[in-house]
C-alpha cells in the first residue's frame, strides 16, 4: 500500500482546510485506491518562543497590522465554511509553538497510525474551533488521551529530548528537500502537490499518482 504523507503544521489554517478536503477525497476512493496517511512536521513559525505569543501581537508582527490580519482571517473562514469546517478566530488568544504537538504526533505514528490520525484531527479542531492553546503539555496529554494514546505515554513523549531532536531534524530535512509551504502532499516521498487542493482534484490526482508509481515499479522489476 502506498503512503500519502501530509506535511503540515497545526496552526496553519490552510492545513486544516486541506485536511477536510483530503478526508473528503479519500472517502470517494475505493478501499484498494486509498493510501495510508501520515502527518509529517513543518515549522510554520520556526522562531516562535516555547511559550507561544499573544495572537494579536504575533499577527501584527507578521502582517503589519491587525486590519490586514483580519482580512486574511475572513478569507480563511470563508474557505473553511465551503469545506464543511468552522474556524473561530474570535476564540484564539494565543499562537502556540507546535514542536510538542509534532513530537506527540511522531510518537503516535510509531505506535498506532489510526490513533495518530485521530490526534491530528483533534489538534486542528482544538486550536481552530475551540481556541485551545495546543502548546501546553496538559492540553496535549488530554488530546492524546481522547485520541486513544495512553496519557502516560503522551506525557513521557513530551519530555523526551531525543524525540524532540528527531522531530526537529525531520522538519528541517523536509524544508531542505524543498518543502516551503504547507500543506504539501507526498506519495511515497514523491512530491504530489502543495496547497489546500479542492476535493475533486485530489480524488482524481491521488489514484492517478499511485497508478503512475505502480507502473514504474512494474517496469523496474520487468513485470510490465
Amino acid at each position: 500500500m502506498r503512503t500519502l504523507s501530509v506535511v503540515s503544521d497545526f496552526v496553519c489554517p490552510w492545513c486544516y482546510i486541506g485536511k477536510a478536503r483530503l478526508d473528503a477525497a479519500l472517502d470517494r476512493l475505493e478501499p484498494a485506491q486509498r493510501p495510508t496517511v501520515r502527518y509529517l512536521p513543518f515549522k510554520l513559525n520556526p522562531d516562535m518562543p516555547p511559550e507561544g505569543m499573544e495572537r494579536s501581537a504575533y499577527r501584527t508582527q507578521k502582517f503589519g497590522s491587525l486590519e490586514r490580519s483580519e482580512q486574511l482571517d475572513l478569507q480563511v473562514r470563508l474557505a473553511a465554511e465551503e469545506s464543511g469546517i468552522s474556524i473561530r478566530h474570535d476564540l484564539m488568544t494565543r499562537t502556540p509553538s507546535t514542536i510538542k504537538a509534532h513530537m506527540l504526533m511522531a510518537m503516535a505514528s510509531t505506535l498506532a497510525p489510526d490513533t495518530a490520525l485521530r490526534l491530528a484531527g483533534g489538534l486542528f479542531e482544538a486550536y481552530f474551533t475551540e481556541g485551545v492553546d495546543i502548546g501546553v503539555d496538559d492540553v496535549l496529554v488530554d488530546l492524546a488521551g481522547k485520541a486513544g494514546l495512553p496519557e502516560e505515554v503522551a506525557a513521557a513523549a513530551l519530555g523526551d529530548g531525543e524525540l524532540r531532536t528527531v522531530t526537529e531534524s525531520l522538519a528541517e530535512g523536509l524544508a531542505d528537500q524543498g518543502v516551503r509551504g504547507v500543506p504539501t502532499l507526498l506519495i511515497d516521498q514523491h512530491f504530489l502537490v502543495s496547497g489546500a487542493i479542492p476535493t475533486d482534484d485530489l480524488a482524481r490526482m491521488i489514484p492517478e499518482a499511485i497508478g503512475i508509481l505502480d507502473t514504474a515499479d512494474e517496469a523496474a522489476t520487468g513485470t510490465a
Side-chain angles (χ1 to χ4, degrees):
M1 181 176 290
R2 300 291 179 179
T3 296
L4 177 64
S5 298
V6 184
V7 186
S8 64
D9 198 358
F10 297 110
V11 292
C12 167
W14 292 106
C15 292
Y16 187 29
I17 294 167
K19 180 183 184 303
R21 294 175 178 178
L22 174 61
D23 289 347
L26 293 175
D27 284 343
R28 296 185 187 181
L29 303 182
E30 296 296 326
Q33 295 178 308
R34 294 175 195 164
T36 298
V37 178
R38 65 171 180 171
Y39 280 81
L40 297 179
F42 185 85
K43 294 190 287 186
L44 193 66
N45 304 304
D47 298 323
M48 182 65 66
E51 68 276 12
M53 289 180 63
E54 196 271 327
R55 186 174 187 271
S56 62
Y58 160 73
R59 298 287 287 184
T60 299
Q61 175 181 302
K62 184 167 185 176
F63 297 110
S65 70
L66 279 179
E67 290 76 15
R68 177 57 178 158
S69 171
E70 289 168 356
Q71 291 172 2
L72 295 172
D73 286 348
L74 177 59
Q75 294 175 19
V76 163
R77 286 197 299 275
L78 293 175
E81 290 172 5
E82 291 173 356
S83 300
I85 56 176
S86 174
I87 291 182
R88 295 289 306 274
H89 292 110
D90 58 310
L91 299 180
M92 299 177 192
T93 60
R94 295 192 65 77
T95 298
S97 165
T98 54
I99 183 59
K100 287 191 173 181
H102 288 308
M103 291 168 60
L104 201 56
M105 275 297 301
M107 174 61 74
S109 296
T110 62
L111 296 177
D114 288 344
T115 297
L117 294 181
R118 288 193 296 271
L119 178 58
L123 287 164
F124 279 123
E125 185 173 352
Y127 182 65
F128 284 108
T129 70
E130 301 171 17
V132 173
D133 186 345
I134 58 171
V136 175
D137 284 18
D138 288 348
V139 168
L140 291 170
V141 169
D142 181 61
L143 290 172
K146 290 177 179 176
L149 187 69
E151 293 189 358
E152 61 273 18
V153 172
L158 296 177
D160 189 330
E162 182 177 353
L163 178 60
R164 185 186 188 104
T165 298
V166 169
T167 303
E168 289 183 333
S169 295
L170 179 56
E172 292 165 4
L174 288 164
D176 290 342
Q177 291 171 31
V179 177
R180 295 288 180 265
V182 285
T184 289
L185 305 185
L186 312 172
I187 291 280
D188 284 0
Q189 300 306 303
H190 297 279
F191 174 82
L192 178 62
V193 71
S194 185
I197 305 302
T199 295
D200 289 346
D201 292 336
L202 287 172
R204 171 182 54 81
M205 294 169 66
I206 291 170
E208 284 181 356
I210 291 174
I212 290 170
L213 291 176
D214 286 348
T215 299
D217 285 352
E218 291 170 0
T221 57
T223 58

